[in-house]
Amino acid sequence: MSPIPASEIRDLIRPYAGELISIERTARGFSSDITALVECDEGPFFVKAVRNRAGGRRDSLTRERLINPFVRPIAPALRWHAEDEHWIVLGFEAVSGRLSDFAPGSPDLPEIVELLDRIGKMDLPEVARDWLETRWDRFALDASEAELFRGGALLHTDINPSNLIVEAWKVWAVDWAWPTRGAGFIDPAQFVIQLITAGHAAEAAESWASHCAAWTEADPKAIDAFAAATLRMYRTFADRKPEESWLKAMVSAARSWVGHRGVTMA
């Protein structure tokens, strides 16, 4: 399937962006139909657009719009949003920077864990109170294990290098495409498996997560259950898409993490 041309949203965003100079597609934003950097009279802006039809992608942009006022200290501000019968578009302030580096020895790591700790300490806004985190439930052994993933923390839920953007003076958490309410250790736990994938030993990866209060305050049994559920999840995804090498890498990382924690898989 050929990519959707960014010109499809040109008329819709012109009232907010002014005269458009260029629309340059970007590689970021896998959950959107269009992501682009827009150079214009009122910008630049980073825009995300999805087809305006019922379902996960539309709902995702709605959540990202609603959560933005509460995460602006650590996320680029949403400047405007536009909608018609065909498209929903979000226009964010454009931040310049690079993808964060999760590799062993990376100078980004201290700033990343500081950012994750800040996310874990943010108040849960009322708008997110009903956004329960349930995506790992079906990979838990039973309902009692799934209950360990519940909590009152605001979660980003997609911690990876492309969603943590490093500028000279700060790290931004971008792409709040599916924020939820759940156990606060989940975001640091996602960081752990990403670190293992980037080359860290499991013990070293967890030592970075230990800088986050949500991790140190968590019940170790809950982390064990989440590690096992994560392995089951990536095994399932890898079985469905055996051609995807990144899924195989995630299975390997999750297996290393489960082994380090001494979790017995059912």
Side-chain angles (χ1 to χ4, degrees):
M1 183 181 297
S2 59
I4 298 167
S7 59
E8 285 205 20
I9 62 172
R10 182 181 291 270
D11 290 341
L12 179 60
I13 69 176
R14 186 175 282 112
Y16 308 93
E19 190 59 33
L20 276 64
I21 300 168
S22 66
I23 303 179
E24 181 181 351
R25 296 293 291 261
T26 69
R28 292 203 341 248
F30 301 109
S31 62
S32 300
D33 293 312
I34 296 173
T35 59
L37 182 65
V38 176
E39 295 286 350
C40 54
D41 287 346
E42 303 296 330
F45 298 110
F46 174 72
V47 302
K48 299 176 69 172
V50 298
R51 295 287 193 186
N52 191 1
R53 48 175 96 119
R57 288 188 173 186
R58 184 188 192 284
D59 294 345
S60 174
L61 241 63
T62 299
R63 284 200 186 195
E64 190 161 7
R65 173 176 61 82
L66 292 173
I67 202 62
N68 185 262
F70 304 99
V71 298
R72 281 189 181 183
I74 56 176
L78 178 65
R79 296 306 185 193
W80 47 265
H81 73 277
E83 182 173 346
D84 63 14
E85 66 271 25
H86 302 296
W87 289 98
I88 298 175
V89 187
L90 302 184
F92 296 90
E93 73 175 291
V95 297
S96 60
R98 58 173 175 80
L99 305 187
S100 55
D101 182 0
F102 281 24
S106 166
D108 297 344
L109 296 177
E111 292 187 52
I112 291 170
V113 295
E114 181 181 353
L115 176 67
L116 292 177
D117 191 48
R118 288 182 66 190
I119 293 174
K121 293 175 179 176
M122 297 179 74
D123 292 334
L124 179 74
E126 187 64 30
V127 69
R129 194 158 298 279
D130 294 332
W131 297 347
L132 300 181
E133 180 50 68
T134 60
R135 280 168 290 181
W136 283 268
D137 287 12
R138 65 191 178 101
F139 301 106
L141 281 179
D142 51 38
S144 64
E145 267 202 358
E147 193 64 27
L148 297 173
F149 308 152
R150 304 289 181 265
L154 175 65
L155 303 174
H156 181 284
T157 73
D158 194 10
I159 303 300
N160 66 70
S162 66
N163 285 340
L164 301 179
I165 303 300
V166 179
E167 274 195 319
W169 57 282
K170 72 177 297 180
V171 179
W172 295 96
V174 303
D175 201 11
W176 287 77
W178 203 254
T180 56
R181 174 172 71 85
F185 72 83
I186 289 178
D187 278 350
Q190 289 191 309
F191 182 48
V192 166
I193 194 165
Q194 290 286 336
L195 289 175
I196 297 171
T197 305
H200 295 254
E203 182 178 8
E206 288 197 345
S207 73
W208 282 109
S210 70
H211 294 279
C212 298
W215 176 272
T216 58
E217 295 168 2
D219 182 348
K221 291 182 180 179
I223 299 177
D224 288 348
F226 187 80
T230 298
L231 176 54
R232 295 187 195 99
M233 179 182 72
Y234 281 117
R235 279 177 174 170
T236 300
F237 294 166
D239 287 345
R240 290 176 183 170
K241 297 182 178 181
E243 73 283 359
E244 296 287 353
S245 60
W246 73 272
L247 286 173
K248 294 178 182 178
M250 297 304 292
V251 170
S252 179
R255 187 181 296 116
S256 296
W257 186 23
V258 165
H260 165 70
R261 295 193 64 85
V263 179
T264 301
M265 296 293 294

